[in-house]
Amino acid sequence: MTDWKTIPELLRSSCERYADAEAVVDGRTRITYAELGARVERAAAGCAASGVEPGDRVAVWAPNSPDWIVAALGAVTAGAVLVPLNTRFKGREAADVLRRSGARLLFVTGTFLGTSYVAALRGAAGRGPGRGPLAGLPDLEQVVVLADDAPPDFRTWQEFLSAGEGTGELRTSGPTGDFASDIIYTSGTTGAPKGVPITHTQTLRAYDVWADLAGLRAGDRYLVVNPFFHTFGYKAGVLACLMRGATVIPQPVFDAETALANMARERVTVLPGPRPCCSPSWTTRRASPTTSEACAWWSPARRWSRWTWCGACGTNSAWRRC
């Protein structure tokens, strides 16, 4: 059994235990565990200053990034129930999940994959009785754009964080283990996406076991291409790294060249993914002008062992360096 009963307890324990180790690395952005803890507490204060109460639903519609991690963990630390939105949703699909989940606060990216998520959402929300920035979503009171610019009635990420300054210490009575930590929606391939509430205890118990089976350990450098809106990216990625003191290296979209470059530059030791993405052919790939450095490192000379985890779909695999 673990010493933590909730995700905020896990975060605080890890940030103290692994304070000087790198928690998140994204290009030139390098965040230690101590710094991550401070950023999350600031985001939690921003949630509290925005009127978020324990049990409120807070959604995130954005690709893998350090800001996603801080926003999501900040909301959960404030006692909210996280609602991750699929980045492949169209505006109407995102609006539907926001409406049915009753989300009060939304963190949204600006532009991703050539699409303005803000514009898509504004077009899909429609008219309604709401007093927030999107009248067609009456429960949604505030929208925070994870960028330096935001439309009128929306807030920038910096404005949101600044609102929490000077709010004092957060409430001491946080969520308990049997509280819902998040609501994960299905992809909706055969109908409207279905929301599944999952508690703090269920999450921590399941992914503590997952981390053991995966052999994840302190000092590992974990390239997380799996989307954070999915449990494979958020729980088997971000939370599993928090449990073991590993480093999260987020990649927003799978691209072989980018992944190989990240592996070489960041000395990646763990790469999860569906089996087709983790095939033995990766270890014998021929070097090209754009991947020579990456492939020189990602080679049979560097011994890699494979582990497999039979998850919900039974297809999750990964490679780790011995």
Side-chain angles (χ1 to χ4, degrees), residues 221-226 247-251 258-260 262-263 268-272 282:
R221 302 181 69 78
Y222 187 152
L223 181 61
V224 187
V225 188
N226 318 311
T247 302
V248 178
I249 303 168
Q251 183 173 320
T258 302
L260 288 167
N262 278 329
M263 291 175 202
V268 167
T269 60
V270 177
L271 171 67
W282 273 47

Side-chain angles (χ1 to χ4, degrees), residues 190-260:
T190 58
K194 311 298 191 298
V196 181
I198 305 172
T199 69
H200 288 261
T201 296
Q202 289 171 328
T203 293
L204 296 177
R205 180 180 299 155
Y207 289 92
D208 186 42
V209 172
W210 188 95
D212 280 343
L213 291 173
L216 192 64
R217 53 184 180 255
D220 270 334
R221 302 181 69 78
Y222 187 152
L223 181 61
V224 187
V225 188
N226 318 311
F228 289 167
F229 66 76
H230 193 284
T231 55
F232 198 14
Y234 173 46
K235 299 188 179 186
V238 175
L239 297 186
C241 284
L242 289 178
M243 291 175 182
R244 296 298 182 267
T247 302
V248 178
I249 303 168
Q251 183 173 320
V253 179
F254 177 76
D255 174 79
E257 304 296 334
T258 302
L260 288 167

Side-chain angles (χ1 to χ4, degrees), residues 116 118-119 122 133 143 145 149-156 159:
S116 170
V118 172
R122 295 178 82 178
V143 179
V145 182
D149 298 307
D153 298 328
F154 288 56
R155 302 165 70 189
T156 66
E159 289 171 343

Side-chain angles (χ1 to χ4, degrees), residues 63-285:
N64 294 8
S65 70
D67 286 344
W68 195 106
I69 296 172
V70 172
L73 293 179
V76 174
T77 297
V81 180
L82 179 65
V83 182
L85 298 185
N86 190 326
T87 52
R88 297 316 196 265
F89 276 167
K90 302 299 183 184
R92 62 178 178 77
E93 295 171 309
D96 176 61
V97 170
L98 290 170
R99 185 177 295 109
R100 289 192 287 122
S101 67
R104 291 187 61 189
L105 171 65
L106 167 67
F107 296 102
V108 62
T109 189
T111 300
F112 178 57
L113 298 177
T115 299
S116 170
Y117 279 38
V118 172
L121 194 55
R122 295 178 82 178
R127 298 179 180 179
R131 298 183 178 181
L134 298 169
L137 299 174
D139 292 319
L140 189 62
E141 298 175 356
Q142 299 184 58
V143 179
V144 177
V145 182
L146 298 175
D148 296 328
D149 298 307
D153 298 328
F154 288 56
R155 302 165 70 189
T156 66
W157 180 227
Q158 189 56 50
E159 289 171 343
F160 167 80
L161 294 174
S162 297
E165 295 177 356
T167 57
E169 198 169 324
L170 284 176
R171 62 180 69 87
T172 56
S173 56
T176 60
D178 58 354
F179 277 37
S181 61
D182 44 74
I183 301 175
I184 305 298
Y185 278 80
T186 62
S187 61
T189 51
T190 58
K194 311 298 191 298
V196 181
I198 305 172
T199 69
H200 288 261
T201 296
Q202 289 171 328
T203 293
L204 296 177
R205 180 180 299 155
Y207 289 92
D208 186 42
V209 172
W210 188 95
D212 280 343
L213 291 173
L216 192 64
R217 53 184 180 255
D220 270 334
R221 302 181 69 78
Y222 187 152
L223 181 61
V224 187
V225 188
N226 318 311
F228 289 167
F229 66 76
H230 193 284
T231 55
F232 198 14
Y234 173 46
K235 299 188 179 186
V238 175
L239 297 186
C241 284
L242 289 178
M243 291 175 182
R244 296 298 182 267
T247 302
V248 178
I249 303 168
Q251 183 173 320
V253 179
F254 177 76
D255 174 79
E257 304 296 334
T258 302
L260 288 167
N262 278 329
M263 291 175 202
R265 182 177 60 252
E266 297 299 341
R267 307 293 291 178
V268 167
T269 60
V270 177
L271 171 67
R275 285 175 182 159
C277 295
C278 297
S279 66
S281 63
W282 273 47
T283 61
T284 56
R285 180 172 175 159

Side-chain angles (χ1 to χ4, degrees), residues 257 260 264 286-298:
E257 304 296 334
L260 288 167
R286 298 292 183 182
S288 69
T290 58
T291 61
S292 57
E293 180 184 4
C295 293
W297 179 73
W298 180 265

